[in-house]
Amino acid sequence: MTDEPKHPFALKAQALAAQLPNQLGDQSWAFEPYLVASNPDAQNLIDLLMDDVCAEWAASLPHRKPSRVTEQKFIDCGSAILANLMRAKCNKWPTTIGMYRSQGALDRERRYRPQYMTADRFVIVRDWLSKAGHIEMVRRGFSLPGHSQTSRFALTKKGAVRLQVEDWTFADFRVDRGKETIRLKDKNDRLCGYDDTPETMAMRAFLDEINAKLDATDIDTTRLLTIHDRKPEYRGRKVRLHRVFNRGNFDCGGRFHGGWWQNVKSHVRPAITIDGQHTIEADFRGFNPAVLLAEAGQPIPDDPYRPIVGANAPDDLRDHAKATLAALLNAKTGATEEPRNFDSARWGMTAEDFRAKVLNAFPMVRAMLGTDKGLTLQRLESDMAEAIMLHFVRQGHAILPIHDAFIVQAHLEGELVQVMKDAFKARLGQVPHVKVTRCYALR
């Protein structure tokens, strides 16, 4: 008797051969309003399809024919929808695009879309594309207490044939500049509007400086990446950064996102090159506990997780400590399931005992449960990151952030470590430990 194949592709092939439904699940990507087809042949197919749909829509209007400007906005909106669905077809796995159906949800994200993409127009264009048989809703969205999902759309067979989707790859699409770089999410993790202040305008200006340098920099790896090197969030070689704030409050969050190096697995990062030069990575060792200790006026050990796990603890126990402390700081109610998959027999204590150990090591956390302390720590961390990046960018050096870690060219190692320590000390009065990774080859 032969062993059953275990590779996902083999499982999927078996299911298709047996005419069984695909039980591996599907993926859904968020709608990207600024996505365009960079390949002129792909864009030409979109234009031809949208000309037909726009003509049908215009002919259906009961009064006068819409102006050419209005028709162009209709076409531009449909082009973005089709570009998203075309790019989803480039994925090896079944992929849909999540799109809101209600005007209220679309209006909430108004700041994060092109001006022509109003909620009314988006709904009209999407419905006409569906009516014409080019796109379809494959799963209806829902909203339940504590869990929601946007409706998922895909190209129909007719649309896929019309757009010749088999001919295109991810390289045939790009995200145009102009996307909002300062983003605010509400308590339900949905993008929401806000009024600009001197603070948000300054943050946006600083990001423009950082992104201008990243745009002008060759950020690469010493070998081509494979599917095993990428996280599910990987969407190609994007370099422009944005900041995300949470809970409808600019005091919460603020981390930098968007760089492709943030969406590859950790074993890849030592092989990243900047303008053809090898790099190093430096990160604050135990940022959250280091801040908690500094705020309490206590000295910061080389490993800030030592009060929980002791000296020379195995990495997996330290990982449990890191995950549990972070979960407690971010918990809305003070309850958490961390540490997950805790081996009680190995560690000689239950998961509940370990949680108590975390709280005993950092007694100040008890008063912070349910207060969004984790997100306010992210604001502090991201403000430090902003200062650190601006220091290098204004000297002409690119720097790649990964939350509380940074990648720079190897010859800048000493300067990076010192700038990180200075940024921490300026805010908290102590000098933390900074860990440096100097490996130049993929493992």
Side-chain angles (χ1 to χ4, degrees):
M1 179 177 180
T2 58
D3 291 334
E4 290 293 320
K6 297 181 173 61
H7 193 280
F9 286 106
L11 291 173
K12 188 177 181 182
Q14 282 186 339
L16 291 173
Q19 296 184 336
L20 296 173
N22 175 19
Q23 299 180 38
L24 298 177
D26 63 352
Q27 300 179 23
S28 183
W29 293 346
F31 176 75
E32 171 50 72
Y34 289 93
L35 187 73
V36 298
S38 55
N39 185 307
D41 293 329
Q43 185 59 51
N44 183 54
L45 290 172
I46 292 176
D47 290 340
L48 291 173
L49 188 155
M50 284 308 305
D51 282 345
D52 292 345
V53 175
C54 183
E56 293 176 13
W57 165 70
S60 74
L61 298 177
H63 305 299
R64 62 180 183 177
K65 185 178 185 294
S67 69
R68 185 56 194 159
V69 171
T70 300
E71 287 185 337
Q72 189 59 53
K73 290 178 178 178
F74 182 99
I75 290 171
D76 289 343
C77 190
S79 294
I81 293 173
L82 293 175
N84 272 266
L85 298 176
M86 286 173 72
R87 186 177 66 161
K89 284 290 187 179
C90 297
N91 196 25
K92 291 181 181 295
W93 299 101
T95 305
T96 57
I97 296 296
M99 292 192 287
Y100 289 120
R101 290 185 299 117
S102 71
Q103 289 192 343
L106 291 166
D107 277 332
R108 194 169 55 242
E109 294 190 355
R110 180 70 186 87
R111 173 180 281 273
Y112 311 100
R113 296 172 179 263
Q115 289 187 353
Y116 64 78
M117 199 177 287
T118 62
D120 287 343
R121 181 170 292 117
F122 189 88
V123 171
I124 290 170
V125 175
R126 187 198 60 218
D127 288 350
W128 271 92
L129 284 169
S130 295
K131 182 178 179 181
H134 300 302
I135 73 173
E136 61 182 341
M137 183 175 66
V138 297
R139 186 171 299 175
R140 183 177 295 274
F142 59 85
S143 180
L144 298 173
H147 183 51
S148 63
Q149 179 178 282
T150 56
S151 297
R152 297 180 178 184
F153 289 79
L155 289 174
T156 61
K157 184 177 181 179
K158 174 183 175 181
V161 171
R162 178 79 183 268
L163 295 171
Q164 300 176 22
V165 294
E166 298 297 331
D167 294 343
W168 315 120
T169 68
F170 290 127
D172 295 312
F173 303 89
R174 63 181 170 82
V175 178
D176 261 352
R177 295 184 185 180
K179 181 189 287 188
E180 175 58 68
T181 54
I182 304 300
R183 307 182 189 181
L184 182 65
K185 291 188 174 183
D186 62 19
K187 293 181 179 180
N188 295 313
D189 203 36
R190 303 173 303 190
L191 288 169
C192 59
Y194 63 87
D195 294 325
D196 267 322
T197 65
E199 180 185 43
T200 60
M201 291 187 287
M203 290 190 293
R204 193 176 293 112
F206 292 150
L207 260 172
D208 287 343
E209 283 188 68
I210 295 166
N211 282 330
K213 183 59 186 174
L214 292 173
D215 284 338
T217 302
D218 177 23
I219 306 168
D220 206 346
T221 52
T222 54
R223 70 158 169 81
L224 294 176
L225 301 182
T226 73
I227 192 172
H228 304 294
D229 297 324
R230 303 166 183 156
K231 295 180 181 178
E233 300 81 13
Y234 184 88
R235 297 289 183 272
R237 294 293 181 99
K238 297 188 205 175
V239 300
R240 294 178 65 81
L241 300 171
H242 59 270
R243 292 183 74 173
V244 179
F245 295 85
N246 307 96
R247 301 280 203 272
N249 187 340
F250 282 102
D251 290 334
C252 295
R255 280 180 163 176
F256 292 80
H257 298 271
W260 66 262
W261 55 89
Q262 298 172 328
N263 295 320
V264 295
K265 296 179 181 178
S266 59
H267 73 265
V268 175
R269 298 204 298 262
I272 291 174
T273 59
I274 296 178
D275 284 335
Q277 295 190 31
H278 289 306
T279 59
I280 62 94
E281 178 180 339
D283 67 280
F284 290 108
R285 188 165 172 81
F287 183 86
N288 282 351
V291 172
L292 294 177
L293 292 170
E295 288 180 339
Q298 299 178 28
I300 304 172
D302 287 349
D303 182 359
Y305 288 103
R306 185 187 300 170
I308 301 173
V309 298
N312 303 315
D315 287 344
D316 42 0
L317 185 62
R318 187 179 183 277
D319 289 343
H320 280 312
K322 181 178 181 180
T324 303
L325 180 60
L328 289 168
L329 292 171
N330 286 297
K332 296 179 181 179
T333 63
T336 175
E337 295 181 7
E338 296 290 351
R340 300 171 190 265
N341 302 317
F342 191 79
D343 189 341
S344 299
R346 179 183 177 188
W347 304 119
M349 68 183 93
T350 65
E352 184 177 353
D353 292 335
F354 188 78
R355 280 192 293 272
K357 191 175 180 66
V358 173
L359 290 171
N360 289 336
F362 292 91
M364 70 287 287
V365 171
R366 295 183 187 277
M368 301 172 181
L369 299 178
T371 66
D372 287 333
K373 178 63 176 179
L375 290 174
T376 58
L377 285 175
Q378 283 187 19
R379 175 62 199 263
L380 175 65
E381 170 203 282
S382 62
D383 284 347
M384 286 190 200
E386 178 187 71
I388 292 165
M389 287 189 287
L390 288 173
H391 170 91
F392 285 92
V393 166
R394 288 171 178 174
Q395 294 187 72
H397 302 301
I399 178 171
L400 316 182
I402 311 168
H403 305 322
D404 63 344
F406 305 90
I407 296 173
V408 295
Q409 292 172 334
H411 69 90
L412 298 171
E413 174 185 328
E415 185 173 359
L416 175 58
V417 171
Q418 189 59 52
V419 170
M420 290 172 67
K421 289 181 176 180
D422 290 345
F424 192 99
K425 184 178 180 181
R427 290 163 174 79
L428 295 157
Q430 289 198 51
V431 178
H433 180 72
V434 174
K435 177 185 175 184
V436 176
T437 303
R438 303 185 186 92
C439 180
Y440 302 141
L442 284 177
R443 295 192 292 274

